[in-house]
Amino acid sequence: MHRYFHSGLRIASEMHLPEWDAFSCDWPGDADVEIAISDGQAPAFPSDASTAVTDRTAGFAIDGIGAWQLESGRRMVVFPSTAADPRMVRLFTLGSAWGLLGYQRGDAMWHGSAIEIAGHTALFCGAAGEGKSTMAGTMIAAGAALVADDLSRIGTMGEGVCIHPSSARIKLWGEAVAHFGWQDRVIERDLVREDKFHCSVPAHHARGGAMPLSAICVLETGDRLALDPLSGVHALKAVLRGTIYRPEAIEAMGRWGEQGALAAAVVAKVPVWRLTRPRDLAALADAGALVVGMLDRLG
């Protein structure tokens, strides 16, 4: 049995998860989540990745790869297809299945990349292709530590909001790897995108505790570089558009009201900014400086 402390949860997994090796550790007590592997007959889920839901379970299947059943937010059962590439099985285990399990638990599972610098933690979010990981890489190159990349579990911490560390590696396009000079940090090529790479980082918060979330930066492409505050309904809409993971699964699970309320509670407590920048790697350093300045002003 493999044991991890990931996203603030104690996880016992029959499957080795190399992507979570930095989160491997022993812990006392019972697991919060169990990940099991079954060689039995998989449930008859649709094979197009759409989410099937019952009172206590949710699940999906990918033709030729496997099926995943999530049980009450505490147990994930993986049914790998006979000839499936183990890397593809892990891809969906740590992506769609992990996100759906979080929704069952009533957690906010946000799509974004987060860093910590000088005691402040910022989450970058936005539509696909807006450069969430690239902005996180920019901050890391300036001395920040990685907190999360891709899927983040957001929670509460006293009167504030927290983010749980969930990544010790970052996924970057080849041009960003070259821009940062991180060729020697490449761990492996991404399985489904030929010009994307998993990279190690100089510093991260794997196995650490929950961290106060200081700011949310919604990324947009524009002709000029600007960092503008958002508030009220504008902030909430921007954050929902920029963070929601697998919206069709939320719909199938009947959890839009819950997820919307969670997002509203976060936005009420955490400053939201719109970071507009040209899609030019040469503008990254200036964009990072704007974010550092904003975080410094938070005190």
Side-chain angles (χ1 to χ4, degrees), residues 7-9 98 102-103 105-115 121-125 147-157 160-166 210-216 239 243-245 258-259 261-267 269-270:
S7 297
L9 298 171
W98 183 245
Y103 290 151
R105 296 180 64 87
D107 292 334
M109 303 295 288
W110 282 8
H111 199 200
S113 298
I115 55 86
T121 302
L123 173 74
F124 297 104
C125 63
V147 176
D149 190 46
D150 196 25
L151 192 55
S152 307
R153 178 172 173 251
I154 310 297
T156 58
M157 175 180 280
V161 174
C162 68
I163 181 169
H164 296 275
S166 60
M211 306 180 67
L213 184 59
S214 307
I216 301 167
V239 168
T243 63
I244 290 299
Y245 182 77
E258 178 181 64
Q259 290 296 315
L262 289 169
V266 171
V267 168
K269 297 177 179 180
V270 180

Side-chain angles (χ1 to χ4, degrees), residues 197-210:
F197 300 88
H198 297 225
C199 298
S200 65
V201 293
H204 56 72
H205 286 278
R207 289 188 288 179

Side-chain angles (χ1 to χ4, degrees), residues 27-102:
W27 29 256
D30 298 328
D32 299 304
V33 174
E34 296 178 357
I35 301 176
I37 304 173
S38 175
D39 57 4
Q41 181 68 37
F45 298 135
S47 61
D48 60 357
S50 60
T51 306
V53 181
T54 69
D55 287 345
R56 303 187 68 176
T57 69
F60 64 95
I62 307 293
D63 192 33
I65 299 175
W68 289 259
Q69 179 165 291
L70 301 318
E71 303 171 357
S72 303
R74 293 190 55 85
R75 180 175 167 84
M76 178 192 303
V77 184
V78 185
F79 300 84
S81 296
T82 304
D85 185 331
R87 296 173 300 169
M88 288 297 292
V89 175
R90 296 199 306 270
L91 177 69
F92 287 97
T93 298
L94 301 182
S96 296
W98 183 245
L100 267 60
L101 190 82

Side-chain angles (χ1 to χ4, degrees), residues 115-134:
I115 55 86
E116 176 272 324
I117 188 166
H120 294 294
T121 302
L123 173 74
F124 297 104
C125 63
E130 286 294 345
K132 298 177 284 291
S133 295
T134 303

Side-chain angles (χ1 to χ4, degrees), residues 6 18 20 64 77 139 156 215 252 263 277 295:
H6 183 279
W20 284 7
V77 184
M139 303 297 290
T156 58
R277 64 178 181 87
L295 294 173

